[in-house]
Amino acid sequence: MTNPLLTTWDTPFGLPPFDQIADADFAPAVDVALQQSRDNIAAIAQNADVPTFDNTITALETADELLGRVLGAFYALAGADSNAAREELQREFAPKLSAYASEVSENTALFARVKTLWDQRETLDLTDEQQRVLMLTHRGFVRSGAQLSGDDATALRDAKSRLSVLGTDFMQNLLADERSWFLPLGPDDLTGLPDFVIATANAAGVEKAAGGPVVTLSRSLIVPFLQFSDRRDLREKAYEAWGARGANGGETDNRALAAETLKLRETRAKLLGYDNFANFKLETEMAGTPAAVNDLLMQVWAPAKAAAEADAKVLTQMLHADGFEGPLEPWDWRYYAEKRRKELHDLDEAELKPYLQLDRMIEAAFSCATRLFGLEFAPLEGPTYHPDVRMWEVTRNGAHVAVFIGDYFARGAKRSGAWCSAMRVQTRIGGDIRPHVVNVCNFAKPEEGKPALLSYDDARTLFHEFGHALHQMLSDVTYESISGTSVARDFVELPSQLYEHWLEVPEVLAEFATHADTGVPMPQDLLDRMLGAATYDMGFQTVEYVASALVDLAFHNGPAPADPMQKQAQVLEQIGMPHAIRMRHATPHFAHVFAGDGYSSGYYSYMWSEVMDADAFDAFEEAGDPFDPDTAKRLEETVLSSGGSVDAADLYVAFRGRLPGVDALLKGRGLAGSA
Ligand SMILES: [Zn+2]
């Protein structure tokens, strides 16, 4: 029998034939596809002809075509509809795929061809896009060490392999500390806790076999506990345990691991010819340099700190009014901030929910895309991996643009969170290939016959992921490696976070936020409270975030500190960290930075994107119309269609006429004028 993954897919738009694929088909298909990829790479590397862009770079772009097709289908399933077999397959594929990736990046004959082309780039008569793909390909090889030989190559390989062990150990220690600690709550210890927190504490108690409710260090339990518990002594205990994760001494202590990690990252950067790890890491980002990151963070720091200090005064008064003396402490902040929020922006989720129906919010996201970019959406029948999955054909002026797939409801087999992925990305190699884009969310599924209702956060998530989807769907490039969302990490959240702004446009909510039973639009007062609550306590949130980002940057921008805890203390001292706020992630549990290097000297990028999305939406406000056609057209032509074909900073300047400034972000967070 033929393996359906390896045949031509005779389905609408070439969607994966999920109705014919069995789990047992994946492993053999991946083996066949990997062999095909290896044969393709060998053919390129050993080609007797002199290197040309076509026989080397274009050939590399298409070398993994079959593998991409098989894995596109597999990872859609593994993330959104897993089972034991698919989890086992994931574990089986990971080392095979990383071994293949290493073979390619360590293939010296292949790199020699790429380098020849790179050295001749001025005389090859390449298009701008081809020059960019050549630069990125060459840079990718260089950054993974292709230019090194002998002892240096060995040292780099050793550093990388030790770093991956350290990253895994760091995460496992952190999880062990999170799992081992819990605080039993007696009958007197529940005061102030709302029912949902007690229910979560009871469930946690069952899991820990504690014979009653407990507080654990899981964010979804400890944060509401700190918000609501009237017991200051217990809040302190829980808060201190939360802050001590990874720093409890003994086998699970992460502090020595952090020091070793920073030292090895420095070694790695120096072997590759960079002064320090931050320079190495930021080279591929829009920010470009540590100085640019520091500059942005410090521009936000001063007003955020001023706002937090003003808030701290109010919260301290509330603490004293409760009969406590002395300063406001970190375990008091969330508690008094919650009390104050209730006074200022009381928002009853139950009152709000009927106005935010899933189907109406999907319509709203589509409607904005129609008004901005002329896209139209028609329901599409075809094979899906789960009955809850919905599909639409996306067209413009009657021409096919993409297939959009929405998988909105939570289920046990789905990993948590929300994401956008493409089972197929846009390219023009081998025909006009249009994308298949998936948005996956975890919204509560309603009872049969009832409409699905969202929280405001859910609705934002829906718009956010749809913004990523637009980045894929409107992509208009030739080469796959720079298609859609294949852009710098600190640029990739721009389209998604920008799209969230249209949810807040009053005319959008007026049209689509209608009551599930009565069809009446959301009352203005409720709307105002909803939007007010979304930006509450931003001084605190910004301070705890920016402090973490500054420490992350300081760790990597200069000689590796022998004692990271001392370095952390020094940075916090320098910026004048407020007494009642601590870093969002202190070093011993800063998984973004130490459990792998994804966000190392990159934790700033969340804020970088937010600066850009606020500044970019301001372009529409300046034009006087959130749907201004010229601005929308410019957004598509510069940012949304270009993928990674142009440097991110250049794309942004093409859209906005200048680099982003922090003013719109400070205004959006309610921090303007606080400095
Ligand atoms: Zn995102």
Side-chain angles (χ1 to χ4, degrees), residues 156-304:
L156 182 70
R157 206 170 304 131
D158 290 350
K160 281 206 259 190
S161 98
R162 177 69 186 147
L163 278 167
S164 91
V165 172
L166 288 168
T168 309
D169 288 353
F170 188 96
M171 195 65 208
Q172 283 174 354
N173 288 344
L174 179 54
L175 292 173
D177 273 12
E178 285 180 357
R179 269 195 303 264
S180 63
W181 189 91
F182 62 92
L183 175 66
L185 298 173
D188 298 340
D189 301 340
L190 303 174
T191 161
L193 301 181
D195 290 346
F196 84 91
V197 182
I198 296 176
T200 315
N202 278 326
V206 171
E207 203 197 307
K208 301 280 181 204
V214 301
V215 184
T216 66
L217 299 179
S218 151
R219 192 169 262 275
S220 59
L221 179 51
I222 187 152
V223 169
F225 181 79
L226 292 169
Q227 272 173 319
F228 294 106
S229 172
D230 292 332
R231 289 283 300 275
R232 194 178 192 216
D233 57 333
L234 298 182
R235 290 201 312 265
E236 178 176 359
K237 230 183 204 171
Y239 186 90
E240 291 293 15
W242 195 33
R245 285 168 299 150
N248 287 309
E251 282 193 345
T252 59
D253 198 301
N254 273 333
R255 286 171 288 190
L257 270 55
E260 190 184 350
T261 299
L262 294 174
K263 187 72 207 154
L264 282 171
R265 283 182 183 156
E266 184 184 31
T267 304
R268 181 177 165 194
K270 292 208 152 136
L271 283 166
L272 293 168
Y274 300 81
D275 270 358
N276 59 52
F277 189 78
N279 282 319
F280 166 69
K281 198 64 196 298
L282 291 166
E283 180 191 39
T284 58
E285 298 297 322
M286 176 178 172
T289 63
V293 172
N294 192 62
D295 184 49
L296 170 107
L297 292 172
M298 289 313 292
Q299 283 184 62
V300 177
W301 173 255

Side-chain angles (χ1 to χ4, degrees), residues 464 468 493 496:
H464 178 102
H468 284 306
E493 296 298 330
S496 52

Side-chain angles (χ1 to χ4, degrees), residues 15 69 101 111 115 117 182 208 253 262 344 346 356 374 428 437 526 552 628 631 641 657 664 675:
L15 286 160
R69 202 157 65 102
F111 177 62
K115 185 163 186 320
L117 292 169
F182 62 92
K208 301 280 181 204
D253 198 301
L262 294 174
L344 296 178
D346 191 20
L356 299 172
R428 279 197 290 271
V437 187
L526 187 58
D552 166 39
D628 180 60
T631 312
S641 66

Side-chain angles (χ1 to χ4, degrees), residues 67-91:
L67 185 63
R69 202 157 65 102
V70 172
L71 292 176
F74 175 70
Y75 284 117
L77 270 180
D81 199 32
S82 200
N83 58 32
R86 291 168 193 167
E87 278 168 25
E88 180 54 38
L89 287 170
Q90 258 180 304
R91 279 191 292 274

